[in-house]
Amino acid sequence: MDIKGLTTAQVEESRRLHGSNLLTQVPPQPLWKKFIFGFKDPMVLILVVAFLIQLVLFLCGVTEWYELVGILTAIVISVAVSSYSEFRQERKASALKAEEQAKERVKVVRDGVLAECAAGEIVVGDIVFLQAGDKIPADGEIAEGSLMVDQAVLNGETEEAPKEPCAEAGEAYDVKDLLNRNYAYRGTVVCSGEAKMLVKVVGDRTLFGALALEVQGATRATPLQVKLAKLAGQISTVGYIGATAIILAILAKAILAKAFLSGALPENGMGWLRLGADAVTVAVTIIVCSVPEGLPMLTSMLLSIKSLQMAKDNVLVRKINGLETAGSLNILFTDKTGTITEGRLSVVDLATGAVETFGTFDALPSGLASEVLSGIGINNSASVSDGAVIGGNSTDRALMTFLNDAGAAGRISKENVVSFEAFDSAKKYSNVVLKGKDGNVMFVKGAPEKIVPRCTRYLTAKGESKPFADTAALTEYFNVQASRSMRLLSVARVEGGTEDGEWTLVCVLAIRDNVRAEAVTAIKEVRSAGIQVVMVTGDRKETAMAIAREAGLLTETSDVVWTSAELGEMSDDEVKASLPSLRVVARALPSDKSRLVRLAQELDFVVGMTGDGVNDSPALKKADVGFAMGSGTEVAKEAGDITILDDNFISIRKAILYGRSMFNCIRTFLVFQLTVNVAAVLACTIGPLAGQNVVLTVVQLLLVNIVMDTLAAFAFGCEPARDELMKNRPVPRSEGIVTKKMLAQIICGAAVISAIVLVLLWQPWEDQMPSSNTVRTMVFATFMMAIAINAFCVRTPSLNIFHGLSQNKMFVAIMSSVFVFQYVVVTFGGKVLGCIPLSAAEWGCCAALAALVLPADLIRNLLCRR
């Protein structure tokens, strides 16, 4: 067939009519839009209300300009940090994807010449030249040649599909049937053969492209987002109620003072306005106190820090929220091949006809080794180049690796080869004919049921030929290996070089995709962490069960194993009832994965799903966190939240650990910051009612919340991911982020800190001070020191506040800088912060009072333990 391909002009015309082969990507949201949407956050909205009130007071001449600027700065920083962090992550993922697409090159016939171009430049009508190892760049019809194609990315089937031209021109075929022999699909991989394909469909119209578009929809909120949204709503409600209550309380205090203590009420409207303004100023302070401005920055900072740490452990966080969701998993649906197993076939065992077994090639006696070398080395379509096994099908590569690992591949010589026939699916074996000293000899390799019955003799371990009198032992060996889900191959020597000669069994090889040793340990740890692990595989039920037992998934008689057919016959309610006991799904289809994810989410589980093919993408997208394999398709990686670069289950375990570590850091920081906020609210509420209208100013509180809390957030974020976190049970999606134990610690710490601050404002104490400015400065200094000391108490649940501190040296460095920062702002804060320099004695007094936090928290900790 004479195929010249398109001309340059025809290429441009085809691209104009049928479109580009580039897949449509939903562009990331612009930074300015993310910034605007950031103002919808309830915590930000409460600050906006405070800003508007402060603006009115400033225009009335009641407050200073720097208080207004302080609140505005807090708003901008809170929104900008979170918006930019998310924007940067999305831009990085887009750039990575564009780079990967640019690397994909294809061979195309144009103007009668075979040339190479980017896959995205292919158009309808192009003639693409395909060879073994190529990824098919578009959907099209085979025009010349023949191929064996791996279509697992689309249908999950491991069996290679044959592709060839139509028998007659214009012959009809169903393009929706992936098993039709005349049509090839984008994203699938050529395993063997050569062919020229006429491109029929490009870009989003390909089956691959349609699935890629499907996975770019919206996802449901992550568990952390749900918890933080709930907390934000609660904090904003408390802030609004508290602000309103304090305004009413101050006005009521004035009226009651007039009625019972002969106090003076405002004499005119301006006086009442001034009183109202003072009350509103205190209310604004309460609002600012109630909002943890550092929280948005903490989550963004933590996600960035943990993402960088995880990259070193072969885990790439593509979607930033996937990390924290991984820590909340209840159930994980995982692939078998490459994740629990090594992802490649390996020779596990070699046996003679007398069932003398060997684990490695170099363990074979020399007589038998030379025969095996010919039988599986020369009779093999794979080869070794620069120490790496290349070419051939998966079985041939496994056999060549068996030889290569023993250093025997270099001894393979094909100079005496007379003929070679690759594996024939009808005969179920391959053969090679070699020229020998006494004539030709044939080596046959293939299915035992086709070879063993024809053997009349067998070779012993010493290479001696003996009559095959009794095959009972060999049959028992076959049965044992079958129960271990082994794939068996037999090798025979045929005298005379034709199939009519005498057949002698050389050996039987047991081949399997072995379970990763580290995966067994990782699965055990993940299950002990309260996460249900379900293996979903396309293998037959017996094979899947054998692997699951070896991996530690099937351990109880109550464990459930389903096939896809059995799952399809069950109603949703029946599946939900048995889902907690499910361990294996065999012969699984892509639709089974999506259904299992949906039903688990309806049970309010936080669901994880692993996958590598385009067919897995809908389930990866639908899951709360999708783990895409590094060797998988770009569509799967795009649909997933986290990419496991080494395809190893132990890396999934690391992702879960990091997610739990991040969630633990957030909870620890919340205890720290909410203690600060509650202490400030208590002090600023009780102070005015006791006659001290200003306890802590708005600018002072903003400084504490933005600067000190940001430093503390970074300090807590550097806490290492400790293995003991894997001993905890998963946090349910419905559970609040603040537990009762956390609330008790917050209230206790806040009560102590606010009490310390109010002691400094006590009137007899104040009379002994040089000035009221000194008192207010000491109040601010003591407040900052107390919350810094409390950070050490919050960091660990241990009675020893220094427990594990050596593992987080950054915490020590940052908290040391916090104390230096406190001295600087108090000494040089001036009018803006309402501070004056303190003497050494006054600093000592502040430190002594602040240190009372330590014994108070120790008592609380002891009481909680009891």
Side-chain angles (χ1 to χ4, degrees), residues 50-92:
F51 172 76
L52 294 175
I53 295 172
Q54 200 75 356
L55 177 61
V56 172
L57 295 177
F58 171 71
L59 295 175
C60 294
V62 176
T63 60
E64 298 292 341
W65 64 269
Y66 45 77
E67 294 184 350
L68 187 68
V69 172
I71 297 178
L72 182 61
T73 302
I75 294 172
V76 171
I77 290 177
S78 295
V79 176
V81 170
S82 57
S83 300
Y84 179 72
S85 177
E86 185 178 347
F87 173 76
R88 185 182 61 182
Q89 289 293 331
E90 289 182 357
R91 187 172 60 179
K92 188 185 297 182

mmCIF file of all heavy atoms in Angstrom, residues 50-92:
data_model
loop_
_atom_site.group_PDB
_atom_site.id
_atom_site.type_symbol
_atom_site.label_atom_id
_atom_site.label_comp_id
_atom_site.label_asym_id
_atom_site.label_seq_id
_atom_site.Cartn_x
_atom_site.Cartn_y
_atom_site.Cartn_z
ATOM 1 N N ALA A 50 -15.616 44.654 61.144
ATOM 2 C CA ALA A 50 -14.838 45.448 62.106
ATOM 3 C C ALA A 50 -14.176 46.635 61.414
ATOM 4 O O ALA A 50 -14.122 47.749 61.958
ATOM 5 C CB ALA A 50 -13.775 44.558 62.770
ATOM 6 N N PHE A 51 -13.685 46.408 60.191
ATOM 7 C CA PHE A 51 -13.042 47.498 59.449
ATOM 8 C C PHE A 51 -14.039 48.611 59.130
ATOM 9 O O PHE A 51 -13.725 49.806 59.260
ATOM 10 C CB PHE A 51 -12.440 46.941 58.159
ATOM 11 C CG PHE A 51 -11.923 47.996 57.217
ATOM 12 C CD1 PHE A 51 -10.712 48.638 57.465
ATOM 13 C CD2 PHE A 51 -12.659 48.379 56.104
ATOM 14 C CE1 PHE A 51 -10.248 49.617 56.614
ATOM 15 C CE2 PHE A 51 -12.199 49.354 55.250
ATOM 16 C CZ PHE A 51 -10.991 49.972 55.501
ATOM 17 N N LEU A 52 -15.245 48.234 58.698
ATOM 18 C CA LEU A 52 -16.246 49.245 58.347
ATOM 19 C C LEU A 52 -16.653 50.073 59.569
ATOM 20 O O LEU A 52 -16.818 51.290 59.488
ATOM 21 C CB LEU A 52 -17.474 48.560 57.730
ATOM 22 C CG LEU A 52 -17.237 47.870 56.374
ATOM 23 C CD1 LEU A 52 -18.491 47.129 55.929
ATOM 24 C CD2 LEU A 52 -16.811 48.891 55.325
ATOM 25 N N ILE A 53 -16.800 49.401 60.716
ATOM 26 C CA ILE A 53 -17.136 50.127 61.950
ATOM 27 C C ILE A 53 -16.004 51.072 62.323
ATOM 28 O O ILE A 53 -16.226 52.246 62.668
ATOM 29 C CB ILE A 53 -17.417 49.128 63.097
ATOM 30 C CG1 ILE A 53 -18.662 48.291 62.791
ATOM 31 C CG2 ILE A 53 -17.572 49.875 64.422
ATOM 32 C CD1 ILE A 53 -18.888 47.161 63.784
ATOM 33 N N GLN A 54 -14.766 50.574 62.213
ATOM 34 C CA GLN A 54 -13.610 51.392 62.559
ATOM 35 C C GLN A 54 -13.476 52.578 61.595
ATOM 36 O O GLN A 54 -13.041 53.666 61.985
ATOM 37 C CB GLN A 54 -12.341 50.529 62.512
ATOM 38 C CG GLN A 54 -11.164 51.096 63.286
ATOM 39 C CD GLN A 54 -11.318 50.938 64.792
ATOM 40 O OE1 GLN A 54 -12.349 50.457 65.260
ATOM 41 N NE2 GLN A 54 -10.329 51.359 65.541
ATOM 42 N N LEU A 55 -13.859 52.372 60.349
ATOM 43 C CA LEU A 55 -13.812 53.456 59.363
ATOM 44 C C LEU A 55 -14.769 54.579 59.746
ATOM 45 O O LEU A 55 -14.422 55.769 59.676
ATOM 46 C CB LEU A 55 -14.165 52.904 57.970
ATOM 47 C CG LEU A 55 -14.220 53.932 56.835
ATOM 48 C CD1 LEU A 55 -12.859 54.599 56.646
ATOM 49 C CD2 LEU A 55 -14.682 53.264 55.541
ATOM 50 N N VAL A 56 -15.967 54.177 60.183
ATOM 51 C CA VAL A 56 -16.942 55.194 60.616
ATOM 52 C C VAL A 56 -16.415 55.956 61.832
ATOM 53 O O VAL A 56 -16.508 57.191 61.900
ATOM 54 C CB VAL A 56 -18.308 54.518 60.932
ATOM 55 C CG1 VAL A 56 -19.267 55.529 61.562
ATOM 56 C CG2 VAL A 56 -18.911 53.924 59.674
ATOM 57 N N LEU A 57 -15.845 55.251 62.785
ATOM 58 C CA LEU A 57 -15.307 55.891 63.980
ATOM 59 C C LEU A 57 -14.145 56.819 63.630
ATOM 60 O O LEU A 57 -13.988 57.895 64.219
ATOM 61 C CB LEU A 57 -14.844 54.827 64.989
ATOM 62 C CG LEU A 57 -15.943 53.937 65.589
ATOM 63 C CD1 LEU A 57 -15.338 52.883 66.497
ATOM 64 C CD2 LEU A 57 -16.960 54.772 66.362
ATOM 65 N N PHE A 58 -13.329 56.412 62.657
ATOM 66 C CA PHE A 58 -12.210 57.260 62.235
ATOM 67 C C PHE A 58 -12.713 58.551 61.588
ATOM 68 O O PHE A 58 -12.199 59.641 61.842
ATOM 69 C CB PHE A 58 -11.322 56.490 61.260
ATOM 70 C CG PHE A 58 -10.271 57.324 60.589
ATOM 71 C CD1 PHE A 58 -9.175 57.798 61.317
ATOM 72 C CD2 PHE A 58 -10.377 57.673 59.245
ATOM 73 C CE1 PHE A 58 -8.210 58.577 60.708
ATOM 74 C CE2 PHE A 58 -9.421 58.452 58.640
ATOM 75 C CZ PHE A 58 -8.327 58.905 59.360
ATOM 76 N N LEU A 59 -13.734 58.413 60.774
ATOM 77 C CA LEU A 59 -14.307 59.598 60.125
ATOM 78 C C LEU A 59 -14.948 60.532 61.138
ATOM 79 O O LEU A 59 -15.019 61.749 60.921
ATOM 80 C CB LEU A 59 -15.337 59.170 59.073
ATOM 81 C CG LEU A 59 -14.762 58.384 57.864
ATOM 82 C CD1 LEU A 59 -15.887 57.911 56.953
ATOM 83 C CD2 LEU A 59 -13.766 59.248 57.092
ATOM 84 N N CYS A 60 -15.393 59.947 62.262
ATOM 85 C CA CYS A 60 -15.979 60.778 63.333
ATOM 86 C C CYS A 60 -14.891 61.327 64.267
ATOM 87 O O CYS A 60 -15.219 62.033 65.243
ATOM 88 C CB CYS A 60 -16.988 59.961 64.138
ATOM 89 S SG CYS A 60 -18.451 59.473 63.192
ATOM 90 N N GLY A 61 -13.641 60.992 64.014
ATOM 91 C CA GLY A 61 -12.539 61.496 64.829
ATOM 92 C C GLY A 61 -12.362 60.778 66.143
ATOM 93 O O GLY A 61 -11.671 61.283 67.042
ATOM 94 N N VAL A 62 -12.939 59.577 66.273
ATOM 95 C CA VAL A 62 -12.873 58.854 67.543
ATOM 96 C C VAL A 62 -11.629 57.985 67.629
ATOM 97 O O VAL A 62 -11.032 57.843 68.699
ATOM 98 C CB VAL A 62 -14.146 57.995 67.737
ATOM 99 C CG1 VAL A 62 -14.043 57.162 69.017
ATOM 100 C CG2 VAL A 62 -15.376 58.881 67.762
ATOM 101 N N THR A 63 -11.204 57.369 66.510
ATOM 102 C CA THR A 63 -10.055 56.452 66.524
ATOM 103 C C THR A 63 -8.922 56.994 65.656
ATOM 104 O O THR A 63 -9.103 57.921 64.864
ATOM 105 C CB THR A 63 -10.460 55.065 65.993
ATOM 106 O OG1 THR A 63 -10.939 55.201 64.653
ATOM 107 C CG2 THR A 63 -11.543 54.449 66.858
ATOM 108 N N GLU A 64 -7.740 56.352 65.787
ATOM 109 C CA GLU A 64 -6.567 56.769 65.038
ATOM 110 C C GLU A 64 -6.493 56.007 63.711
ATOM 111 O O GLU A 64 -7.021 54.903 63.568
ATOM 112 C CB GLU A 64 -5.300 56.484 65.859
ATOM 113 C CG GLU A 64 -5.232 57.236 67.176
ATOM 114 C CD GLU A 64 -5.064 58.745 66.988
ATOM 115 O OE1 GLU A 64 -4.644 59.161 65.888
ATOM 116 O OE2 GLU A 64 -5.364 59.497 67.936
ATOM 117 N N TRP A 65 -5.764 56.611 62.772
ATOM 118 C CA TRP A 65 -5.660 56.024 61.440
ATOM 119 C C TRP A 65 -4.953 54.675 61.443
ATOM 120 O O TRP A 65 -5.274 53.767 60.666
ATOM 121 C CB TRP A 65 -4.912 56.973 60.498
ATOM 122 C CG TRP A 65 -3.474 57.214 60.908
ATOM 123 C CD1 TRP A 65 -3.013 58.201 61.709
ATOM 124 C CD2 TRP A 65 -2.339 56.423 60.534
ATOM 125 N NE1 TRP A 65 -1.657 58.098 61.890
ATOM 126 C CE2 TRP A 65 -1.206 57.018 61.165
ATOM 127 C CE3 TRP A 65 -2.144 55.300 59.736
ATOM 128 C CZ2 TRP A 65 0.078 56.506 61.026
ATOM 129 C CZ3 TRP A 65 -0.869 54.787 59.599
ATOM 130 C CH2 TRP A 65 0.236 55.396 60.227
ATOM 131 N N TYR A 66 -3.983 54.507 62.349
ATOM 132 C CA TYR A 66 -3.222 53.267 62.330
ATOM 133 C C TYR A 66 -4.048 52.078 62.790
ATOM 134 O O TYR A 66 -3.737 50.932 62.471
ATOM 135 C CB TYR A 66 -1.931 53.388 63.154
ATOM 136 C CG TYR A 66 -2.064 54.045 64.505
ATOM 137 C CD1 TYR A 66 -2.607 53.358 65.584
ATOM 138 C CD2 TYR A 66 -1.629 55.361 64.704
ATOM 139 C CE1 TYR A 66 -2.710 53.952 66.817
ATOM 140 C CE2 TYR A 66 -1.737 55.964 65.948
ATOM 141 C CZ TYR A 66 -2.277 55.261 67.012
ATOM 142 O OH TYR A 66 -2.384 55.854 68.230
ATOM 143 N N GLU A 67 -5.114 52.303 63.567
ATOM 144 C CA GLU A 67 -5.998 51.195 63.938
ATOM 145 C C GLU A 67 -6.776 50.717 62.710
ATOM 146 O O GLU A 67 -6.972 49.514 62.509
ATOM 147 C CB GLU A 67 -6.955 51.633 65.041
ATOM 148 C CG GLU A 67 -6.253 51.957 66.362
ATOM 149 C CD GLU A 67 -7.234 52.294 67.467
ATOM 150 O OE1 GLU A 67 -8.427 52.466 67.159
ATOM 151 O OE2 GLU A 67 -6.807 52.381 68.632
ATOM 152 N N LEU A 68 -7.177 51.663 61.890
ATOM 153 C CA LEU A 68 -7.888 51.344 60.649
ATOM 154 C C LEU A 68 -6.968 50.579 59.693
ATOM 155 O O LEU A 68 -7.347 49.542 59.128
ATOM 156 C CB LEU A 68 -8.363 52.642 59.992
ATOM 157 C CG LEU A 68 -9.275 52.503 58.763
ATOM 158 C CD1 LEU A 68 -10.619 51.922 59.168
ATOM 159 C CD2 LEU A 68 -9.484 53.871 58.105
ATOM 160 N N VAL A 69 -5.741 51.065 59.555
ATOM 161 C CA VAL A 69 -4.759 50.415 58.676
ATOM 162 C C VAL A 69 -4.416 49.016 59.197
ATOM 163 O O VAL A 69 -4.213 48.074 58.424
ATOM 164 C CB VAL A 69 -3.487 51.278 58.560
ATOM 165 C CG1 VAL A 69 -2.386 50.519 57.823
ATOM 166 C CG2 VAL A 69 -3.799 52.581 57.840
ATOM 167 N N GLY A 70 -4.367 48.874 60.515
ATOM 168 C CA GLY A 70 -4.046 47.574 61.109
ATOM 169 C C GLY A 70 -5.055 46.505 60.725
ATOM 170 O O GLY A 70 -4.688 45.386 60.338
ATOM 171 N N ILE A 71 -6.350 46.844 60.813
ATOM 172 C CA ILE A 71 -7.386 45.868 60.452
ATOM 173 C C ILE A 71 -7.336 45.566 58.959
ATOM 174 O O ILE A 71 -7.451 44.411 58.533
ATOM 175 C CB ILE A 71 -8.784 46.391 60.849
ATOM 176 C CG1 ILE A 71 -8.872 46.573 62.367
ATOM 177 C CG2 ILE A 71 -9.870 45.428 60.372
ATOM 178 C CD1 ILE A 71 -10.194 47.133 62.838
ATOM 179 N N LEU A 72 -7.151 46.612 58.142
ATOM 180 C CA LEU A 72 -7.074 46.411 56.692
ATOM 181 C C LEU A 72 -5.892 45.510 56.338
ATOM 182 O O LEU A 72 -6.005 44.633 55.467
ATOM 183 C CB LEU A 72 -6.936 47.763 55.989
ATOM 184 C CG LEU A 72 -6.881 47.718 54.458
ATOM 185 C CD1 LEU A 72 -8.171 47.112 53.913
ATOM 186 C CD2 LEU A 72 -6.654 49.107 53.891
ATOM 187 N N THR A 73 -4.775 45.712 57.008
ATOM 188 C CA THR A 73 -3.593 44.868 56.761
ATOM 189 C C THR A 73 -3.884 43.410 57.101
ATOM 190 O O THR A 73 -3.494 42.497 56.363
ATOM 191 C CB THR A 73 -2.401 45.366 57.596
ATOM 192 O OG1 THR A 73 -2.134 46.734 57.268
ATOM 193 C CG2 THR A 73 -1.161 44.525 57.336
ATOM 194 N N ALA A 74 -4.578 43.186 58.218
ATOM 195 C CA ALA A 74 -4.930 41.815 58.619
ATOM 196 C C ALA A 74 -5.809 41.151 57.566
ATOM 197 O O ALA A 74 -5.619 39.971 57.232
ATOM 198 C CB ALA A 74 -5.648 41.839 59.965
ATOM 199 N N ILE A 75 -6.759 41.918 57.024
ATOM 200 C CA ILE A 75 -7.656 41.366 56.000
ATOM 201 C C ILE A 75 -6.876 40.990 54.748
ATOM 202 O O ILE A 75 -7.005 39.885 54.211
ATOM 203 C CB ILE A 75 -8.764 42.385 55.649
ATOM 204 C CG1 ILE A 75 -9.683 42.620 56.859
ATOM 205 C CG2 ILE A 75 -9.580 41.899 54.457
ATOM 206 C CD1 ILE A 75 -10.671 43.752 56.668
ATOM 207 N N VAL A 76 -6.056 41.924 54.278
ATOM 208 C CA VAL A 76 -5.313 41.703 53.034
ATOM 209 C C VAL A 76 -4.354 40.522 53.173
ATOM 210 O O VAL A 76 -4.268 39.665 52.288
ATOM 211 C CB VAL A 76 -4.547 42.979 52.626
ATOM 212 C CG1 VAL A 76 -3.613 42.682 51.454
ATOM 213 C CG2 VAL A 76 -5.515 44.090 52.270
ATOM 214 N N ILE A 77 -3.641 40.450 54.292
ATOM 215 C CA ILE A 77 -2.680 39.360 54.489
ATOM 216 C C ILE A 77 -3.402 38.010 54.545
ATOM 217 O O ILE A 77 -2.985 37.040 53.913
ATOM 218 C CB ILE A 77 -1.854 39.588 55.766
ATOM 219 C CG1 ILE A 77 -0.895 40.772 55.564
ATOM 220 C CG2 ILE A 77 -1.063 38.339 56.123
ATOM 221 C CD1 ILE A 77 -0.085 41.123 56.788
ATOM 222 N N SER A 78 -4.512 37.941 55.298
ATOM 223 C CA SER A 78 -5.243 36.683 55.445
ATOM 224 C C SER A 78 -5.734 36.162 54.099
ATOM 225 O O SER A 78 -5.623 34.964 53.796
ATOM 226 C CB SER A 78 -6.440 36.874 56.382
ATOM 227 O OG SER A 78 -6.016 37.176 57.678
ATOM 228 N N VAL A 79 -6.264 37.062 53.273
ATOM 229 C CA VAL A 79 -6.798 36.650 51.972
ATOM 230 C C VAL A 79 -5.666 36.388 50.980
ATOM 231 O O VAL A 79 -5.681 35.400 50.247
ATOM 232 C CB VAL A 79 -7.763 37.729 51.426
ATOM 233 C CG1 VAL A 79 -8.240 37.344 50.025
ATOM 234 C CG2 VAL A 79 -8.948 37.900 52.348
ATOM 235 N N ALA A 80 -4.666 37.270 50.971
ATOM 236 C CA ALA A 80 -3.601 37.173 49.966
ATOM 237 C C ALA A 80 -2.775 35.916 50.120
ATOM 238 O O ALA A 80 -2.443 35.252 49.128
ATOM 239 C CB ALA A 80 -2.709 38.409 50.043
ATOM 240 N N VAL A 81 -2.427 35.558 51.349
ATOM 241 C CA VAL A 81 -1.560 34.388 51.564
ATOM 242 C C VAL A 81 -2.231 33.115 51.078
ATOM 243 O O VAL A 81 -1.644 32.325 50.332
ATOM 244 C CB VAL A 81 -1.167 34.264 53.049
ATOM 245 C CG1 VAL A 81 -0.493 32.928 53.314
ATOM 246 C CG2 VAL A 81 -0.249 35.394 53.445
ATOM 247 N N SER A 82 -3.486 32.900 51.480
ATOM 248 C CA SER A 82 -4.183 31.675 51.082
ATOM 249 C C SER A 82 -4.448 31.659 49.574
ATOM 250 O O SER A 82 -4.321 30.624 48.920
ATOM 251 C CB SER A 82 -5.493 31.525 51.857
ATOM 252 O OG SER A 82 -6.315 32.656 51.671
ATOM 253 N N SER A 83 -4.812 32.809 48.999
ATOM 254 C CA SER A 83 -5.103 32.885 47.562
ATOM 255 C C SER A 83 -3.847 32.603 46.738
ATOM 256 O O SER A 83 -3.874 31.825 45.786
ATOM 257 C CB SER A 83 -5.656 34.266 47.195
ATOM 258 O OG SER A 83 -6.841 34.540 47.902
ATOM 259 N N TYR A 84 -2.747 33.226 47.113
ATOM 260 C CA TYR A 84 -1.519 33.065 46.344
ATOM 261 C C TYR A 84 -0.978 31.644 46.459
ATOM 262 O O TYR A 84 -0.464 31.087 45.482
ATOM 263 C CB TYR A 84 -0.459 34.061 46.808
ATOM 264 C CG TYR A 84 0.838 33.920 46.048
ATOM 265 C CD1 TYR A 84 0.938 34.322 44.718
ATOM 266 C CD2 TYR A 84 1.961 33.350 46.649
ATOM 267 C CE1 TYR A 84 2.112 34.170 44.009
ATOM 268 C CE2 TYR A 84 3.139 33.195 45.940
ATOM 269 C CZ TYR A 84 3.217 33.615 44.621
ATOM 270 O OH TYR A 84 4.377 33.455 43.931
ATOM 271 N N SER A 85 -1.083 31.045 47.632
ATOM 272 C CA SER A 85 -0.585 29.682 47.828
ATOM 273 C C SER A 85 -1.332 28.707 46.913
ATOM 274 O O SER A 85 -0.714 27.876 46.245
ATOM 275 C CB SER A 85 -0.746 29.266 49.291
ATOM 276 O OG SER A 85 -0.338 27.945 49.479
ATOM 277 N N GLU A 86 -2.653 28.819 46.867
ATOM 278 C CA GLU A 86 -3.452 27.938 46.012
ATOM 279 C C GLU A 86 -3.153 28.208 44.536
ATOM 280 O O GLU A 86 -3.008 27.288 43.728
ATOM 281 C CB GLU A 86 -4.934 28.156 46.293
ATOM 282 C CG GLU A 86 -5.841 27.201 45.530
ATOM 283 C CD GLU A 86 -7.313 27.406 45.873
ATOM 284 O OE1 GLU A 86 -7.604 28.110 46.858
ATOM 285 O OE2 GLU A 86 -8.150 26.869 45.137
ATOM 286 N N PHE A 87 -3.030 29.484 44.166
ATOM 287 C CA PHE A 87 -2.740 29.858 42.776
ATOM 288 C C PHE A 87 -1.383 29.306 42.338
ATOM 289 O O PHE A 87 -1.232 28.787 41.238
ATOM 290 C CB PHE A 87 -2.754 31.388 42.651
ATOM 291 C CG PHE A 87 -2.311 31.900 41.307
ATOM 292 C CD1 PHE A 87 -3.156 31.826 40.210
ATOM 293 C CD2 PHE A 87 -1.047 32.445 41.139
ATOM 294 C CE1 PHE A 87 -2.752 32.290 38.964
ATOM 295 C CE2 PHE A 87 -0.629 32.905 39.901
ATOM 296 C CZ PHE A 87 -1.486 32.827 38.809
ATOM 297 N N ARG A 88 -0.389 29.392 43.214
ATOM 298 C CA ARG A 88 0.947 28.922 42.886
ATOM 299 C C ARG A 88 0.960 27.416 42.660
ATOM 300 O O ARG A 88 1.608 26.913 41.746
ATOM 301 C CB ARG A 88 1.917 29.305 44.004
ATOM 302 C CG ARG A 88 3.368 28.962 43.709
ATOM 303 C CD ARG A 88 4.266 29.323 44.875
ATOM 304 N NE ARG A 88 3.885 28.579 46.070
ATOM 305 C CZ ARG A 88 4.478 28.715 47.253
ATOM 306 N NH1 ARG A 88 5.453 29.592 47.398
ATOM 307 N NH2 ARG A 88 4.092 27.997 48.288
ATOM 308 N N GLN A 89 0.224 26.674 43.507
ATOM 309 C CA GLN A 89 0.180 25.223 43.361
ATOM 310 C C GLN A 89 -0.487 24.831 42.042
ATOM 311 O O GLN A 89 -0.032 23.927 41.342
ATOM 312 C CB GLN A 89 -0.577 24.593 44.543
ATOM 313 C CG GLN A 89 0.169 24.639 45.859
ATOM 314 C CD GLN A 89 1.405 23.775 45.867
ATOM 315 O OE1 GLN A 89 1.481 22.766 45.184
ATOM 316 N NE2 GLN A 89 2.408 24.179 46.634
ATOM 317 N N GLU A 90 -1.579 25.507 41.680
ATOM 318 C CA GLU A 90 -2.275 25.200 40.437
ATOM 319 C C GLU A 90 -1.401 25.533 39.232
ATOM 320 O O GLU A 90 -1.356 24.789 38.246
ATOM 321 C CB GLU A 90 -3.589 25.977 40.367
ATOM 322 C CG GLU A 90 -4.645 25.481 41.336
ATOM 323 C CD GLU A 90 -5.948 26.245 41.205
ATOM 324 O OE1 GLU A 90 -6.003 27.193 40.387
ATOM 325 O OE2 GLU A 90 -6.905 25.909 41.928
ATOM 326 N N ARG A 91 -0.691 26.661 39.300
ATOM 327 C CA ARG A 91 0.174 27.061 38.195
ATOM 328 C C ARG A 91 1.327 26.073 38.030
ATOM 329 O O ARG A 91 1.727 25.728 36.914
ATOM 330 C CB ARG A 91 0.718 28.467 38.456
ATOM 331 C CG ARG A 91 1.497 29.039 37.280
ATOM 332 C CD ARG A 91 1.846 30.488 37.528
ATOM 333 N NE ARG A 91 2.671 30.648 38.726
ATOM 334 C CZ ARG A 91 3.133 31.816 39.151
ATOM 335 N NH1 ARG A 91 2.825 32.932 38.506
ATOM 336 N NH2 ARG A 91 3.884 31.886 40.240
ATOM 337 N N LYS A 92 1.859 25.582 39.160
ATOM 338 C CA LYS A 92 2.951 24.609 39.111
ATOM 339 C C LYS A 92 2.477 23.303 38.472
ATOM 340 O O LYS A 92 3.183 22.715 37.647
ATOM 341 C CB LYS A 92 3.454 24.345 40.535
ATOM 342 C CG LYS A 92 4.713 23.483 40.592
ATOM 343 C CD LYS A 92 5.093 23.155 42.026
ATOM 344 C CE LYS A 92 5.429 24.405 42.808
ATOM 345 N NZ LYS A 92 5.859 24.074 44.203
#
